[in-house]
Amino acid sequence: MNSKNMLVKLLSVMIVFSVLITACGQPVATQAPATEAPAITEAPAATEAPAATEAPAGKIYDGVTIDILTFVGPQVAEPLQRRGPDFTELTGATVNIITVPNSELYQKVLTDAVSGTNAYDGYLFAPAWITDFAPAGLVEDLTPYVEADTALEWDDVAPFFRDFNSYAGKVYSIPLDGDMHMVYYRIDSLEEAGLEPPKTWDDYLAVAKALNGKDLNGDGEGDYGSCISKAPAQQSYWWIWSIAAPYIQSQGTSQGPFFNTTDMTPLVNNDAFKRALEVYKETGLYGPPDETNQGVGDSRGLFLAGRCALTMDWGDIGPLAIDPANSKVIDKTGAISNPGSTEVLDWETGKLVACDATTCPYAVDGVNHAPFASFGGWAGAVNAAVDQKQKDATYAFFSYMAQPAQSNADVVVGSTGYNPFRISQFENLQPWIDAGFSQAAAEQYLNGIKESFDSPNMAADLRIPKSHEYIQVELDRILSEYIAGDLTTDEAAQQLYDSWETITEEAGRDAQLEFYKGTLGQ
Amino acid sequence: MGWALSLLIELVTMNTQPEEPQPSRFHSVISSAADRLAGSIFILPTVLALLFLSIFPLLASLYVSLAKFDIAPGGYKFTFVGLNNYRKLFTGSEGTHFLGKFASNTPLTWIVFGVVVIALAFFLARYLLNAKVSISGLIGRLLLAIGIGLLTWMLVHTLWNDGRLGTASITLVYVFVGIFFQYILGLGLALLTVQNLPGRRFFRVIFLLPMMITPVGVAYMFRMLTDTSKGPFTPIWQGLGLIDFSWVNNAWGARTAILIGDIWQWTPFMFIVLVAALESQPVEPIEAATVDGANSWQIFQHITWPAILPVSMTLILIRLIEAFKIVDLPNVMTNGGPGTATQSLTYHAYINWRALNIGSSAAVAYMLLFLVTFFAMIFVNLIRQRTVETL
Amino acid sequence: MKRWFQSKTINTPSPIGALLSYLALGIWAFLIIFPLYWLVITSFKISSQVAEGPFYIPFVDFKPSLDAWKYILVGDLSNDTLRNFSNTIIVAPLSALIALALGATAAYALVRFDYRPRVGAILTFIGCVILSIVTIAMGVSWQIALTVSAAAFFILLQTIGRRFKRALGNNDIAFWMISQRMLPPVAVVIPIYILFQQLHLLDTYAALIITYVTSNLPIVIWLMRDYVSTIPIELEECASIDGASRYRIFWSIVLPLAIPGLVATFLFVLVFTWNEYLLALFLSSAKVQTLPLTIAAQNATRGPQWWNMSVLILIMIVPVIVIAIVLERYITRGLLIGAVKG
């Protein structure tokens, strides 16, 4: 073939190629699979809601479909799915709830946003992740929305949650749920054994040891002293901080339990954190044999079945325990603020020192408590890259869910996974009593939570860039190896220190320090 | 558009030159242009699909493994970091995760390692003393010896004493132990089923079932079954006094559970292929042997086994390649625990990816690719040797 | 007495042999059926019946309830379930068929034609792919990068490509195709994700189908190549002498003879695509989630919802089992692997 012929062919092929490629690159009108009938895009319909296509004309978000991503329910997702049709009736917008397993949520949200796919309009996720998303401009600044929204009653939201869902002074997510770790105990079993609800973690271990193996639910088999789940990639990395915080933080919330506020070194390679590790591991001695493969769902289930004397959990057990269908511990469940410690960390020496007026200014009866506001509560954020109408509709939906009329009904039901976060929800006992709490139980439960939030030494969860990597990747792995016996306490503490230092270095020590101090209000 | 496409085909065929079928194939009496192009048309779609969706992502992934992923304003960025991700896997922060925790040397480790080294030395020597030595052959065998040596070193130091297996070793355990049992069971069942027994079709269908279930489903099913407090075997555990024992807390217990699930699921694959192979055997040699007075063991050893050997090797190769990619069972049954005791390489890559440590995830995936290729090459050469011998 | 140990015909075992065989087969059948049975009864249990310990026989040990079935099929999860189920039903058989079509033709070609791809051409291609990747990484828009690399490829093909005369053969091509199976999906998922995202095909059927077809082509080629090589060549020669074109021969002669192989391969690929989890997790976000994702998702923070999961697993298995039973006779006839040596 002569060269002229060759050149002609080559050119024509190149032209063909470029045409092909650019044709493929055109935004294909999002070819929704042809078989997708409108009915499928709706949230599962409650019996009374009409189909979106029947919404009377003139509604504000007619024809808008919003896709919200959260993790698989039924907790947390179910109220969204249940109230979707109501929202549709009010506003004409169709709500589509997409769920993925909890461990996938972070990367699904991030991949969707950074790759520009934007398949989701909103996310119901961990507010701590805002510090990764907001600086990159991936979530919408909701301050103007919130300020214009009277139905939301933003001031009724507890101050802690207003802060936790803000970053650099702007609101980026709407809380639907409030989170605080508490210890729940069997009133009857402890009374029978003549034991007091634990005030310190040493007490906790003592109670657990004393009651381990006793038959707590009357079925003739031995039960467990303590049920705290320990499976990898589950909740371990939150439990450990509930135990460690009172050993490390004693000077108030703005001290922070995670890092040294002068040089951003992790506060983990010291006697306090090591003691916490040992306590955490020891609780396993008094628990179910397969605790290392259990998540909070399992341990919660065991407590509700009456098989545990003590457990630690978020607020869910309160309303779950009064439900006759699922609970064998109605009227037998007590809730207290997290146990504390009589020894605290001396930040200079890394050793534990006894509690006194200077070391523990907020001690109660000589015990330093640092209730851990773990996780911060599920909150809804809006994708900054979608159309204005989508953003408005998504915000409206989250606001709708957070408004007192809906929220008050959801937080009193255990299976929703939503726990109280509004001041009014703590102060007004009536909805709780209507839901089935006895007066005493409601008071004790709500006081437990409220005390924790009001505590001047409450510990907030970590909220700096790469918090996911610090906590849910590195800490989780080292913790699971420690529990499995692959690492000694010293090795675990050292490895955690090293890996956190690596992350801090990569992210920029000074920047991280600024962030961290910012979240502590310093 | 059509002529452009045929232009493209012409250009490519210029270089692939499908020749007219040789005399050992057959003569095409009518050879039109379309017929000449048939060779290209038949194979081109597959080649293109594999080129764009396998090779291109593979090479792109190589780049990713040499880079670091970060969120940047407006999206994301990859920063080139060279071999840093790989370094972390071998000598850096992920070393114990990937390779395992190395115990110190003991007489036992030296003995085992020594034995393997001597065997490899014999192997190389035998080749060198052979008349037909080629450079590529020598290099290949040297690489093989070095590879096996390194793997043995790793295994020997992590399997016992206070060593801990890394994800690479765990994957090897899953693959080899799993395939061993799958093959033995599959062969045994196949031999039993091809007999002239009434009702064997029923067994065949039943035995096929486990393969049909999604691995995630199998994992959950086995988690249910092995639950010592709620599962169906609880009375047995109680009887044996194991009620307080949980296999989850024990590294090898957890691995055994996963192996059982894996064997349960994939034995049908071996089974069905071996049944096909056994049934397609010609009957005459067996009849002749029986007439000559051979018993069934002798028939198996001298007639059946050589006949199904090629099939078995291909079958094991297929299953070998698949087995290295195990991920659903460790993920669902144990979340990779206790600690990292049941994490396979794909799981390792998966959790890195989930943590958005994408460069590291790609590096682990590449190490897996090297490992699979290494063993597959060994096996393919084994097959080639065998079939050459039987010819 | 001696008769118990004698077999009547070649393949029929003696009565003792038959007994032992049935015993062994029965044990394994039990090992298979029991977990499935457990699955079925768990789908009829409610949470407390699972938590309180094993109950074995419905109506005797425990009272079965249809709660799980209702929840999955008509209750809160029904929309998700039906959508994901229909996604699976669309994606899996379609991918299997397309993979079968492409792979069977390629397998036939590899057996009947002689290919001589030149090493030079291959190296040039790889070089141009690397070139395009590097330029894209440096920020050039991908349309330009690809066009430039394509041009470079064609130009270089004539020069460097011609230099290395050595050519590979059919076996090498086959080996390359089959070795694609060694690729862990985790390795290629990010480039594929970005690729589909650039083409705006994320979360569509097309993305899943294309990916499944590509990852299963090696299996199809492997199985079909071995099968096609057992078809005698004389039939095709006769047809060719009679004047049939290659396409005609393939369509009317080879394919009908290859039906057992095609069916067996189809079943295998169907099983792989039906049950696939990892790629579906990566590539789907809202609209095309498949059923394995729903199963994995039942592991909620409340603890694994065993009853819901059992229902979902059963829904997933039933169609495949039905197909397998119907096609069973083809499977053993169609799996003649190992016929091609090397």
Side-chain angles (χ1 to χ4, degrees):
Chain A
M1 207 170 297
N2 62 41
S3 40
K4 181 161 168 241
N5 215 336
M6 176 67 236
L7 216 55
V8 166
K9 288 198 175 176
L10 189 59
L11 273 167
S12 45
V13 169
M14 273 177 61
I15 295 174
V16 164
F17 240 78
S18 342
V19 169
L20 271 174
I21 290 172
T22 40
C24 284
Q26 292 303 338
V28 175
T30 18
Q31 299 284 6
T35 51
E36 194 183 5
I40 298 179
T41 57
E42 279 182 333
T47 45
E48 74 276 0
T53 46
E54 293 165 34
K59 293 227 177 126
I60 177 172
Y61 295 123
D62 250 341
V64 175
T65 304
I66 54 177
D67 294 303
I68 309 242
L69 177 71
T70 187
F71 81 104
V72 164
Q75 281 101 338
V76 177
E78 184 266 339
L80 297 172
Q81 288 162 332
R82 177 168 36 96
R83 296 195 182 280
D86 299 337
F87 183 72
T88 310
E89 222 189 309
L90 281 176
T91 64
T94 317
V95 178
N96 197 13
I97 308 292
I98 297 126
T99 57
V100 293
N102 193 11
S103 41
E104 310 301 327
L105 193 56
Y106 181 71
Q107 68 79 11
K108 259 294 193 234
V109 175
L110 211 56
T111 321
D112 180 72
V114 301
S115 67
T117 316
N118 297 319
Y120 312 113
D121 300 290
Y123 324 105
L124 192 70
F125 65 0
W129 298 347
I130 298 285
T131 50
D132 280 324
F133 286 64
L138 300 171
V139 287
E140 181 78 355
D141 174 10
L142 299 175
T143 325
Y145 291 87
V146 165
E147 283 170 358
D149 188 351
T150 43
L152 180 61
E153 293 187 36
W154 185 243
D155 293 324
D156 183 35
V157 175
F160 170 73
F161 293 107
R162 275 184 264 144
D163 280 337
F164 208 74
N165 285 286
S166 309
Y167 170 78
K170 304 192 192 140
V171 177
Y172 282 99
S173 52
I174 307 291
L176 298 186
D177 161 47
D179 271 352
M180 176 65 76
H181 274 168
M182 312 206 325
V183 162
Y184 296 89
Y185 64 97
R186 288 285 299 280
I187 305 179
D188 53 335
S189 312
L190 264 66
E191 244 176 50
E192 239 181 85
L195 296 165
E196 290 287 312
K199 295 218 169 34
T200 68
W201 283 105
D202 292 330
D203 291 343
Y204 183 97
L205 289 174
V207 172
K209 190 169 182 188
L211 292 175
N212 190 34
K214 302 237 178 333
D215 181 10
L216 302 172
N217 63 350
D219 65 351
E221 281 168 25
D223 294 316
Y224 312 112
S226 153
C227 298
I228 302 184
S229 62
K230 295 183 172 58
Q234 298 285 331
Q235 294 84 19
S236 290
Y237 44 80
W238 283 310
W239 306 138
I240 187 64
W241 283 108
S242 269
I243 302 178
Y247 286 96
I248 300 181
Q249 176 185 292
S250 58
Q251 305 293 331
T253 312
S254 58
Q255 193 193 21
F258 298 100
F259 293 97
N260 187 317
T261 41
T262 48
D263 56 9
M264 203 63 189
T265 50
L267 292 170
V268 298
N269 202 7
N270 52 51
D271 285 354
F273 194 77
K274 292 184 194 175
R275 179 92 189 94
L277 284 175
E278 287 167 355
V279 169
Y280 185 53
K281 192 164 181 189
E282 200 181 323
T283 63
L285 291 177
Y286 313 123
D290 52 349
E291 208 174 49
T292 50
N293 206 19
Q294 287 186 343
V296 71
D298 300 298
S299 50
R300 199 179 279 172
L302 281 171
F303 184 83
L304 291 171
R307 303 202 62 189
C308 307
L310 294 167
T311 188
M312 177 161 51
D313 202 338
W314 284 274
D316 303 82
I317 291 196
L320 281 172
I322 59 168
D323 176 11
N326 276 319
S327 162
K328 303 247 177 316
V329 292
I330 308 178
D331 289 335
K332 298 188 198 162
T333 307
I336 48 169
S337 189
N338 268 352
S341 159
T342 49
E343 290 180 300
V344 291
L345 178 69
D346 180 331
W347 283 34
E348 307 288 316
T349 63
K351 302 253 172 280
L352 287 169
V353 297
C355 235
D356 59 34
T358 25
T359 55
C360 306
Y362 302 109
V364 174
D365 294 336
V367 176
N368 180 45
H369 289 273
F372 182 48
S374 162
F375 185 69
W378 294 97
V382 175
N383 188 346
V386 296
D387 294 337
Q388 191 58 42
K389 202 105 209 241
Q390 306 283 124
K391 289 189 215 182
D392 293 341
T394 310
Y395 170 78
F397 180 63
F398 284 136
S399 165
Y400 175 71
M401 293 296 303
Q403 286 162 18
Q406 285 72 247
S407 176
N408 290 350
D410 287 335
V411 296
V412 298
V413 176
S415 58
T416 60
Y418 293 168
N419 299 136
F421 62 98
R422 287 181 173 278
I423 302 175
S424 57
Q425 289 163 351
F426 292 105
E427 294 179 344
N428 183 4
L429 264 61
Q430 198 51 46
W432 300 92
I433 298 178
D434 291 339
F437 274 82
S438 64
Q439 174 89 7
E443 273 174 8
Q444 210 226 10
Y445 171 68
L446 291 172
N447 275 342
I449 305 182
K450 193 150 182 299
E451 255 173 39
S452 306
F453 278 122
D454 288 341
S455 164
N457 196 34
M458 182 193 68
D461 205 346
L462 186 62
R463 223 169 40 108
I464 57 177
K466 297 204 182 287
S467 60
H468 176 88
E469 208 175 325
Y470 283 111
I471 304 278
Q472 282 153 322
V473 177
E474 292 302 314
L475 176 58
D476 181 56
R477 181 172 55 89
I478 293 174
L479 208 52
S480 81
E481 288 180 10
Y482 173 67
I483 297 290
D486 291 339
L487 297 171
T488 64
T489 313
D490 290 330
E491 284 171 349
Q494 183 66 50
Q495 277 191 21
L496 188 60
Y497 182 88
D498 292 336
S499 71
W500 277 27
E501 282 284 88
T502 316
I503 303 175
T504 307
E505 285 296 324
E506 277 179 14
R509 186 175 296 271
D510 296 326
Q512 292 288 73
L513 188 54
E514 282 301 305
F515 265 113
Y516 184 58
K517 294 212 292 205
T519 62
L520 294 175
Q522 289 184 16
Chain B
M1 185 73 164
W3 66 262
L5 214 49
S6 62
L7 262 182
L8 181 59
I9 294 176
E10 276 278 351
L11 271 166
V12 178
T13 57
M14 253 174 16
N15 286 292
T16 54
Q17 291 175 356
E19 299 177 355
E20 277 305 306
Q22 305 292 355
S24 66
R25 310 284 188 196
F26 62 88
H27 283 296
S28 178
V29 174
I30 298 177
S31 65
S32 64
D35 240 28
R36 260 183 290 128
L37 279 180
S40 321
I41 294 186
F42 274 36
I43 205 165
L44 211 55
T46 306
V47 169
L48 286 177
L50 287 176
L51 283 178
F52 284 113
L53 292 161
S54 259
I55 295 293
F56 174 70
L58 180 66
L59 292 169
S61 200
L62 183 62
Y63 174 74
V64 169
S65 75
L66 299 172
K68 194 167 111 59
F69 173 85
D70 278 306
I71 314 177
Y76 58 92
K77 63 175 167 52
F78 282 102
T79 338
F80 186 77
V81 290
L83 289 175
N84 200 25
N85 290 325
Y86 291 97
R87 186 195 56 79
K88 273 203 268 192
L89 280 182
F90 283 95
T91 57
S93 50
E94 296 221 31
T96 41
H97 196 188
F98 176 66
L99 292 176
K101 183 172 148 222
F102 279 48
S104 41
N105 284 309
T106 67
L108 183 60
T109 64
W110 282 120
I111 291 174
V112 174
F113 186 65
V115 165
V116 171
V117 164
I118 292 175
L120 288 173
F122 264 125
F123 166 70
L124 277 175
R126 207 177 65 161
Y127 178 67
L128 282 170
L129 292 174
N130 188 327
K132 293 179 281 167
V133 173
S134 67
I135 291 290
S136 59
L138 184 63
I139 294 182
R141 279 165 177 72
L142 264 174
L143 285 175
L144 172 66
I146 295 176
I148 302 261
L150 288 172
L151 284 172
T152 315
W153 182 258
M154 178 176 72
L155 280 170
V156 144
H157 281 97
T158 52
L159 266 180
W160 46 76
N161 297 330
D162 50 329
R164 232 190 314 142
L165 289 182
T167 48
S169 316
I170 297 172
T171 311
L172 289 175
V173 168
Y174 286 153
V175 167
F176 288 106
V177 176
I179 290 188
F180 175 74
F181 283 104
Q182 286 163 29
Y183 184 71
I184 299 283
L185 283 169
L187 185 59
L189 291 170
L191 286 171
L192 287 174
T193 327
V194 294
Q195 294 174 113
N196 202 351
L197 287 173
R200 62 191 173 150
R201 187 148 176 253
F202 164 76
F203 285 114
R204 276 215 220 152
V205 173
I206 295 274
F207 290 171
L208 211 49
L209 293 184
M211 207 172 66
M212 309 280 167
I213 311 180
T214 177
V216 183
V218 172
Y220 278 123
M221 207 167 69
F222 270 88
R223 202 163 140 191
M224 262 200 283
L225 291 174
T226 49
D227 189 321
T228 43
S229 54
K230 306 196 288 282
F233 300 118
T234 311
I236 302 182
W237 303 135
Q238 273 177 330
L240 290 173
L242 287 174
I243 189 76
D244 274 337
F245 172 77
S246 175
W247 51 270
V248 204
N249 287 328
N250 180 290
W252 281 105
R255 290 180 197 135
T256 311
I258 292 186
L259 276 170
I260 292 180
D262 195 42
I263 293 171
W264 187 85
Q265 176 158 37
W266 289 107
T267 304
F269 183 65
M270 302 277 197
F271 166 74
I272 199 72
V273 172
L274 286 170
V275 164
L278 286 170
E279 288 198 332
S280 65
Q281 272 184 277
V283 160
E284 296 83 26
I286 301 182
E287 286 180 345
T290 323
V291 164
D292 283 346
N295 65 31
S296 36
W297 171 247
Q298 284 171 323
I299 294 180
F300 177 76
Q301 194 184 356
H302 297 287
I303 302 180
T304 315
W305 177 248
I308 61 169
L309 197 56
V311 178
S312 299
M313 307 226 84
T314 315
L315 176 64
I316 293 183
L317 182 58
I318 298 182
R319 186 64 207 126
L320 188 83
I321 294 179
E322 297 298 314
F324 269 98
K325 299 189 256 175
I326 181 173
V327 67
D328 291 311
L329 278 169
N331 187 19
V332 169
M333 272 183 99
T334 55
N335 274 323
T340 55
T342 53
Q343 290 190 5
S344 64
L345 278 172
T346 307
Y347 185 81
H348 186 174
Y350 168 64
I351 53 175
N352 278 1
W353 170 82
R354 201 164 66 182
L356 290 177
N357 218 342
I358 297 190
S360 175
S361 165
V364 175
Y366 257 86
M367 293 314 301
L368 175 60
L369 183 60
F370 291 150
L371 210 59
V372 181
T373 314
F374 179 71
F375 281 104
M377 298 298 316
I378 296 180
F379 217 76
V380 165
N381 279 310
L382 218 62
I383 297 183
R384 283 210 182 120
Q385 271 192 349
R386 285 277 164 173
T387 52
V388 162
E389 281 167 17
T390 55
L391 270 178
Chain C
M1 181 70 181
K2 197 156 170 248
R3 264 191 307 135
W4 287 10
F5 290 90
Q6 278 172 351
S7 48
K8 294 205 187 83
T9 65
I10 288 289
N11 212 15
T12 317
S14 59
I16 289 285
L19 189 64
L20 292 173
S21 301
Y22 274 123
L23 198 62
L25 291 171
I27 292 179
W28 188 256
F30 174 75
L31 286 176
I32 293 184
I33 296 184
F34 182 72
L36 293 171
Y37 168 75
W38 192 253
L39 209 63
V40 171
I41 58 172
T42 306
S43 72
F44 289 112
K45 290 184 181 169
I46 59 176
S47 127
S48 54
Q49 287 164 340
V50 172
E52 283 170 25
F55 297 111
Y56 298 93
I57 307 177
F59 295 115
V60 171
D61 273 347
F62 71 94
K63 187 163 164 299
S65 103
L66 283 176
D67 275 355
W69 288 93
K70 279 193 274 186
Y71 176 69
I72 297 281
L73 289 177
V74 299
D76 286 337
L77 208 60
S78 61
N79 278 353
D80 273 359
T81 313
L82 291 174
R83 178 192 67 203
N84 293 357
F85 192 55
S86 58
N87 288 340
T88 309
I89 287 194
I90 293 175
V91 168
L94 209 55
S95 326
L97 281 171
I98 297 178
L100 199 63
L102 291 181
T105 43
Y108 172 76
L110 282 172
V111 177
R112 292 287 182 247
F113 298 126
D114 242 342
Y115 293 101
R116 296 274 163 83
R118 272 196 287 237
V119 176
I122 294 173
L123 287 176
T124 325
F125 180 78
I126 294 182
C128 292
V129 170
I130 295 182
L131 176 71
S132 67
I133 292 174
V134 170
T135 47
I136 293 178
M138 294 201 297
V140 179
S141 106
W142 62 272
Q143 286 96 331
I144 299 179
L146 278 179
T147 326
V148 166
S149 306
F153 172 62
F154 284 112
I155 295 176
L156 286 175
L157 204 57
Q158 305 312 313
T159 52
I160 300 184
R162 284 256 153 84
R163 283 249 229 104
F164 297 92
K165 282 291 182 196
R166 206 182 120 180
L168 306 173
N170 274 20
N171 279 344
D172 299 303
I173 300 185
F175 180 73
W176 166 66
M177 286 184 173
I178 295 170
S179 69
Q180 292 311 300
R181 191 75 187 164
M182 292 188 220
L183 227 59
V186 202
V188 297
V189 80
I190 290 127
I192 289 191
Y193 183 88
I194 300 180
L195 178 73
F196 282 129
Q197 195 245 331
Q198 293 293 321
L199 295 174
H200 297 271
L201 283 177
L202 267 185
D203 204 25
T204 61
Y205 288 140
L208 282 181
I209 293 180
I210 294 175
T211 318
Y212 284 166
V213 166
T214 319
S215 60
N216 285 307
L217 270 176
I219 289 276
V220 177
I221 293 175
W222 202 334
L223 294 173
M224 285 312 298
R225 187 164 161 251
D226 286 348
Y227 191 84
V228 165
S229 61
T230 65
I231 297 181
I233 201 172
E234 293 78 22
L235 297 163
E236 297 177 50
E237 288 185 344
C238 289
S240 171
I241 293 176
D242 286 345
S245 73
R246 304 306 294 265
Y247 307 100
R248 192 74 206 283
I249 294 176
F250 180 67
W251 183 255
S252 329
I253 298 183
V254 179
L255 277 186
L257 284 176
I259 285 189
L262 289 170
V263 169
T265 313
F266 174 76
L267 194 61
F268 270 125
V269 179
L270 181 68
V271 167
F272 284 140
T273 53
W274 188 270
N275 293 334
E276 209 280 329
Y277 172 67
L278 210 59
L279 287 169
L281 180 68
F282 288 143
L283 293 173
S284 70
S285 9
K287 302 199 209 65
V288 292
Q289 287 192 340
T290 54
L291 218 45
L293 295 179
T294 322
I295 294 181
Q298 292 312 305
N299 190 15
T301 40
R302 191 193 257 178
Q305 312 274 288
W306 302 120
W307 37 101
N308 293 337
M309 238 179 260
S310 306
V311 174
L312 285 168
I313 297 176
L314 287 170
I315 296 179
M316 274 203 84
I317 305 181
V318 167
V320 191
I321 290 186
V322 167
I323 296 182
I325 293 180
V326 164
L327 297 176
E328 185 260 336
R329 52 184 73 247
Y330 288 105
I331 300 178
T332 45
R333 275 196 278 149
L335 282 180
L336 299 174
I337 67 173
V340 176
K341 315 247 184 294

